[in-house]
Amino acid sequence: MKNKQTFEGRYSLGKNGIAYIKDKETGTIIEVPKHDAQTALSRDLVLVEVTDAIKNEGRVIKIVERDKTGFVGTLKSKGDHYVVFTDDFKIPEIIIPKNNVNNGEIDEKVYVEIESYTPHLVGVVKKNLGSADSNDAYMHGIALEQGFDFTFPENVEAEADALEKAGISEDERINRRDLRDTMTFTIDPADAKDFDDAISFKTLDENTYEIGIHIADVSHYVTPGSALDEEAQKRTTSVYLVDRTIPMLPEGISNGLCSLRENEEKLAFSAIFEIDKQTGRVNNEWYGRTIINSNKRFTYEEAQDIIDAKEGLFAHELLELNRLSRIYEEKRYNNGALNFETREVKFILDEVGKPISVKVKERIDTNKLIEEFMLLANNGVSKFMADAPFFIYRVHDRPELERVEHLQAFLKILGYDTRLVENIIPVKDLQKIIRDAEGTASYDTLQTAIVRSMQKAVYTTNNI
């Protein structure tokens, strides 16, 4: 081991009470006995001092960052106080003084935040989650431990309620491009709770369609410095769990004002394209704030049935959108896109939310239709904003050479000889490998290996 006396690492506690902390630079794993752990808890980021380099032993000298400050467990009575036995066996029992029980109930699940770490863990009950064996309690507990709360502060709810009550002002109706009379619909999963994007379709002349891609104009309601804005910054995202959604914004916004529900006026931000009906070429484009009214809420399956039957509500529009989406898809592949047809699974739940079976989601034409028009809008916006002084892009950097070489070696094992051009495997070569592997046992594994060789997407102001 190098002459390195201290390093930072994650405190990983074993069942024997000994913690193991890995030095990322050297790969050395240091053992820390319980009496040298200070107040470190499982997964905390700690500063370790190496006390014996031969035996690889050390001690915690500083807690750099707590992994969690709140835990879920079952509340029990113990003498003149209470304790919470956490769901994580690596976390010791938490003492709850009588005046910290709040609305906690004996033998029920509670969420506790730590007030003191020494000499014992002392906490305060923040939420009572209900019956210890209920699905609801477990789901709420998992979310809370990861920092996601199902409830919103009162001032945030009040702000959302006031906006929902005020509705759309006449000024907004006047000052936006009015698309309420343009045929518009949403296509979403059958179990979708909110609808944040829509497509509109209009025939301009015998050669031209006007196709609009619309998203709910959330920024109209969530303004800088507002309570909604501050709460959204804390949450950063909505969270989609197996049986529920934890929204980034209160229901009055997420499932009300900003849900493009059927037969309701909604404020949107739109990308509108004049498209050659034969070739799909974009002849003109417009971006801005609109007011729309969705004529129909389709599920993916409902829209697919109409396309397959070639008849039904908005059949012409759906068939034309589907035809154009295939043109765009083929163009993308010709330009070097990779077709990853990975399979997703859906859990089937009973009436109390417990999973009873699993099925593979079928990817159908309407899924691809929506994807292609969303890509059309995203690409159009990114080009439109290319000369702006400030914009945020979602980008993929070039793959690292080491990962590409690992992929090349893996492909060789499967019988594919590949070449490197400028330190990457040419996209056309990967496209052929994926096509050739369709229907074989190695298809899913191949796709996974190729995806893992690539850089993850990042958000940046640098348009690479």
Side-chain angles (χ1 to χ4, degrees), residues 63-84:
I63 312 298
V64 178
E65 182 181 72
R66 295 287 182 186
D67 180 57
K68 296 177 187 175
T69 56
F71 300 92
V72 172
T74 304
L75 184 66
K76 297 285 186 180
S77 177
K78 192 172 184 179
D80 62 349
H81 62 275
Y82 299 86
V83 296
V84 169

mmCIF file of all heavy atoms in Angstrom, residues 63-84:
data_model
loop_
_atom_site.group_PDB
_atom_site.id
_atom_site.type_symbol
_atom_site.label_atom_id
_atom_site.label_comp_id
_atom_site.label_asym_id
_atom_site.label_seq_id
_atom_site.Cartn_x
_atom_site.Cartn_y
_atom_site.Cartn_z
ATOM 1 N N ILE A 63 -16.879 12.060 9.916
ATOM 2 C CA ILE A 63 -18.038 11.771 9.073
ATOM 3 C C ILE A 63 -18.121 12.895 8.049
ATOM 4 O O ILE A 63 -18.426 14.044 8.393
ATOM 5 C CB ILE A 63 -19.350 11.711 9.885
ATOM 6 C CG1 ILE A 63 -19.190 10.826 11.131
ATOM 7 C CG2 ILE A 63 -20.502 11.242 8.998
ATOM 8 C CD1 ILE A 63 -18.859 9.386 10.833
ATOM 9 N N VAL A 64 -17.848 12.587 6.799
ATOM 10 C CA VAL A 64 -17.829 13.609 5.753
ATOM 11 C C VAL A 64 -19.253 13.963 5.318
ATOM 12 O O VAL A 64 -19.606 15.134 5.178
ATOM 13 C CB VAL A 64 -17.016 13.123 4.537
ATOM 14 C CG1 VAL A 64 -17.033 14.174 3.410
ATOM 15 C CG2 VAL A 64 -15.579 12.810 4.949
ATOM 16 N N GLU A 65 -20.078 12.924 5.131
ATOM 17 C CA GLU A 65 -21.453 13.154 4.665
ATOM 18 C C GLU A 65 -22.330 11.980 5.063
ATOM 19 O O GLU A 65 -21.957 10.827 4.859
ATOM 20 C CB GLU A 65 -21.462 13.319 3.143
ATOM 21 C CG GLU A 65 -22.817 13.609 2.543
ATOM 22 C CD GLU A 65 -22.742 13.726 1.027
ATOM 23 O OE1 GLU A 65 -22.566 12.694 0.346
ATOM 24 O OE2 GLU A 65 -22.829 14.862 0.544
ATOM 25 N N ARG A 66 -23.477 12.288 5.641
ATOM 26 C CA ARG A 66 -24.422 11.241 5.999
ATOM 27 C C ARG A 66 -25.148 10.753 4.748
ATOM 28 O O ARG A 66 -25.610 11.562 3.933
ATOM 29 C CB ARG A 66 -25.458 11.752 6.997
ATOM 30 C CG ARG A 66 -24.884 12.148 8.356
ATOM 31 C CD ARG A 66 -24.489 10.948 9.158
ATOM 32 N NE ARG A 66 -23.976 11.315 10.487
ATOM 33 C CZ ARG A 66 -23.449 10.451 11.350
ATOM 34 N NH1 ARG A 66 -23.370 9.164 11.012
ATOM 35 N NH2 ARG A 66 -23.002 10.857 12.513
ATOM 36 N N ASP A 67 -25.244 9.442 4.592
ATOM 37 C CA ASP A 67 -25.994 8.889 3.471
ATOM 38 C C ASP A 67 -27.479 9.182 3.633
ATOM 39 O O ASP A 67 -28.168 9.540 2.687
ATOM 40 C CB ASP A 67 -25.764 7.378 3.378
ATOM 41 C CG ASP A 67 -26.521 6.750 2.224
ATOM 42 O OD1 ASP A 67 -26.313 7.192 1.079
ATOM 43 O OD2 ASP A 67 -27.324 5.826 2.462
ATOM 44 N N LYS A 68 -27.977 9.040 4.865
ATOM 45 C CA LYS A 68 -29.372 9.335 5.188
ATOM 46 C C LYS A 68 -29.430 9.960 6.568
ATOM 47 O O LYS A 68 -28.609 9.675 7.439
ATOM 48 C CB LYS A 68 -30.219 8.059 5.215
ATOM 49 C CG LYS A 68 -30.359 7.317 3.906
ATOM 50 C CD LYS A 68 -31.158 6.042 4.132
ATOM 51 C CE LYS A 68 -31.192 5.170 2.892
ATOM 52 N NZ LYS A 68 -31.863 3.884 3.173
ATOM 53 N N THR A 69 -30.430 10.787 6.769
ATOM 54 C CA THR A 69 -30.686 11.321 8.103
ATOM 55 C C THR A 69 -32.047 10.868 8.611
ATOM 56 O O THR A 69 -32.425 11.165 9.736
ATOM 57 C CB THR A 69 -30.631 12.857 8.110
ATOM 58 O OG1 THR A 69 -31.573 13.346 7.147
ATOM 59 C CG2 THR A 69 -29.245 13.354 7.750
ATOM 60 N N GLY A 70 -32.782 10.136 7.770
ATOM 61 C CA GLY A 70 -34.088 9.625 8.161
ATOM 62 C C GLY A 70 -34.209 8.148 7.854
ATOM 63 O O GLY A 70 -33.640 7.657 6.870
ATOM 64 N N PHE A 71 -34.943 7.429 8.710
ATOM 65 C CA PHE A 71 -35.072 5.980 8.559
ATOM 66 C C PHE A 71 -36.502 5.542 8.851
ATOM 67 O O PHE A 71 -37.230 6.199 9.601
ATOM 68 C CB PHE A 71 -34.111 5.253 9.504
ATOM 69 C CG PHE A 71 -32.667 5.589 9.252
ATOM 70 C CD1 PHE A 71 -32.054 6.621 9.948
ATOM 71 C CD2 PHE A 71 -31.935 4.893 8.306
ATOM 72 C CE1 PHE A 71 -30.726 6.951 9.706
ATOM 73 C CE2 PHE A 71 -30.615 5.206 8.059
ATOM 74 C CZ PHE A 71 -30.006 6.235 8.763
ATOM 75 N N VAL A 72 -36.867 4.409 8.261
ATOM 76 C CA VAL A 72 -38.193 3.836 8.465
ATOM 77 C C VAL A 72 -38.063 2.591 9.321
ATOM 78 O O VAL A 72 -37.138 1.790 9.151
ATOM 79 C CB VAL A 72 -38.843 3.477 7.117
ATOM 80 C CG1 VAL A 72 -40.130 2.697 7.316
ATOM 81 C CG2 VAL A 72 -39.115 4.752 6.319
ATOM 82 N N GLY A 73 -38.983 2.446 10.255
ATOM 83 C CA GLY A 73 -38.979 1.261 11.111
ATOM 84 C C GLY A 73 -40.285 1.138 11.862
ATOM 85 O O GLY A 73 -41.235 1.899 11.624
ATOM 86 N N THR A 74 -40.334 0.175 12.772
ATOM 87 C CA THR A 74 -41.537 -0.084 13.560
ATOM 88 C C THR A 74 -41.367 0.490 14.959
ATOM 89 O O THR A 74 -40.349 0.255 15.616
ATOM 90 C CB THR A 74 -41.809 -1.592 13.644
ATOM 91 O OG1 THR A 74 -41.894 -2.119 12.314
ATOM 92 C CG2 THR A 74 -43.115 -1.865 14.368
ATOM 93 N N LEU A 75 -42.374 1.244 15.414
ATOM 94 C CA LEU A 75 -42.321 1.891 16.726
ATOM 95 C C LEU A 75 -42.732 0.916 17.812
ATOM 96 O O LEU A 75 -43.769 0.248 17.716
ATOM 97 C CB LEU A 75 -43.253 3.110 16.733
ATOM 98 C CG LEU A 75 -43.243 3.964 18.006
ATOM 99 C CD1 LEU A 75 -41.904 4.659 18.201
ATOM 100 C CD2 LEU A 75 -44.372 4.990 17.964
ATOM 101 N N LYS A 76 -41.912 0.834 18.873
ATOM 102 C CA LYS A 76 -42.180 -0.040 20.009
ATOM 103 C C LYS A 76 -42.012 0.736 21.317
ATOM 104 O O LYS A 76 -41.275 1.727 21.377
ATOM 105 C CB LYS A 76 -41.208 -1.230 20.016
ATOM 106 C CG LYS A 76 -41.310 -2.160 18.804
ATOM 107 C CD LYS A 76 -42.540 -3.048 18.884
ATOM 108 C CE LYS A 76 -42.564 -4.066 17.760
ATOM 109 N NZ LYS A 76 -43.777 -4.939 17.824
ATOM 110 N N SER A 77 -42.689 0.263 22.357
ATOM 111 C CA SER A 77 -42.539 0.845 23.686
ATOM 112 C C SER A 77 -41.428 0.117 24.422
ATOM 113 O O SER A 77 -41.311 -1.112 24.334
ATOM 114 C CB SER A 77 -43.858 0.724 24.452
ATOM 115 O OG SER A 77 -43.704 1.211 25.755
ATOM 116 N N LYS A 78 -40.607 0.882 25.167
ATOM 117 C CA LYS A 78 -39.490 0.274 25.895
ATOM 118 C C LYS A 78 -39.233 1.077 27.161
ATOM 119 O O LYS A 78 -38.571 2.111 27.131
ATOM 120 C CB LYS A 78 -38.244 0.239 25.013
ATOM 121 C CG LYS A 78 -37.118 -0.629 25.560
ATOM 122 C CD LYS A 78 -36.003 -0.747 24.529
ATOM 123 C CE LYS A 78 -34.913 -1.686 25.012
ATOM 124 N NZ LYS A 78 -33.824 -1.820 24.007
ATOM 125 N N GLY A 79 -39.772 0.588 28.281
ATOM 126 C CA GLY A 79 -39.593 1.282 29.553
ATOM 127 C C GLY A 79 -40.242 2.643 29.548
ATOM 128 O O GLY A 79 -41.419 2.791 29.215
ATOM 129 N N ASP A 80 -39.452 3.667 29.882
ATOM 130 C CA ASP A 80 -39.999 5.025 29.960
ATOM 131 C C ASP A 80 -39.837 5.794 28.653
ATOM 132 O O ASP A 80 -40.018 7.001 28.607
ATOM 133 C CB ASP A 80 -39.326 5.790 31.101
ATOM 134 C CG ASP A 80 -37.825 5.957 30.889
ATOM 135 O OD1 ASP A 80 -37.290 5.299 29.978
ATOM 136 O OD2 ASP A 80 -37.207 6.736 31.638
ATOM 137 N N HIS A 81 -39.474 5.076 27.601
ATOM 138 C CA HIS A 81 -39.338 5.747 26.301
ATOM 139 C C HIS A 81 -39.790 4.793 25.191
ATOM 140 O O HIS A 81 -40.377 3.754 25.469
ATOM 141 C CB HIS A 81 -37.888 6.207 26.073
ATOM 142 C CG HIS A 81 -36.899 5.085 26.033
ATOM 143 N ND1 HIS A 81 -36.323 4.559 27.166
ATOM 144 C CD2 HIS A 81 -36.386 4.366 25.000
ATOM 145 C CE1 HIS A 81 -35.502 3.570 26.835
ATOM 146 N NE2 HIS A 81 -35.527 3.442 25.519
ATOM 147 N N TYR A 82 -39.513 5.181 23.966
ATOM 148 C CA TYR A 82 -39.887 4.359 22.807
ATOM 149 C C TYR A 82 -38.649 4.101 21.967
ATOM 150 O O TYR A 82 -37.641 4.821 22.064
ATOM 151 C CB TYR A 82 -40.952 5.067 21.965
ATOM 152 C CG TYR A 82 -42.231 5.342 22.711
ATOM 153 C CD1 TYR A 82 -42.376 6.497 23.490
ATOM 154 C CD2 TYR A 82 -43.305 4.466 22.634
ATOM 155 C CE1 TYR A 82 -43.545 6.761 24.175
ATOM 156 C CE2 TYR A 82 -44.491 4.721 23.322
ATOM 157 C CZ TYR A 82 -44.601 5.861 24.089
ATOM 158 O OH TYR A 82 -45.765 6.113 24.770
ATOM 159 N N VAL A 83 -38.730 3.084 21.147
ATOM 160 C CA VAL A 83 -37.641 2.807 20.210
ATOM 161 C C VAL A 83 -38.234 2.487 18.841
ATOM 162 O O VAL A 83 -39.389 2.050 18.737
ATOM 163 C CB VAL A 83 -36.741 1.633 20.656
ATOM 164 C CG1 VAL A 83 -36.010 1.956 21.947
ATOM 165 C CG2 VAL A 83 -37.547 0.354 20.787
ATOM 166 N N VAL A 84 -37.438 2.704 17.833
ATOM 167 C CA VAL A 84 -37.803 2.305 16.472
ATOM 168 C C VAL A 84 -36.790 1.267 16.001
ATOM 169 O O VAL A 84 -35.582 1.519 16.010
ATOM 170 C CB VAL A 84 -37.818 3.511 15.519
ATOM 171 C CG1 VAL A 84 -37.923 3.045 14.061
ATOM 172 C CG2 VAL A 84 -38.985 4.431 15.849
#
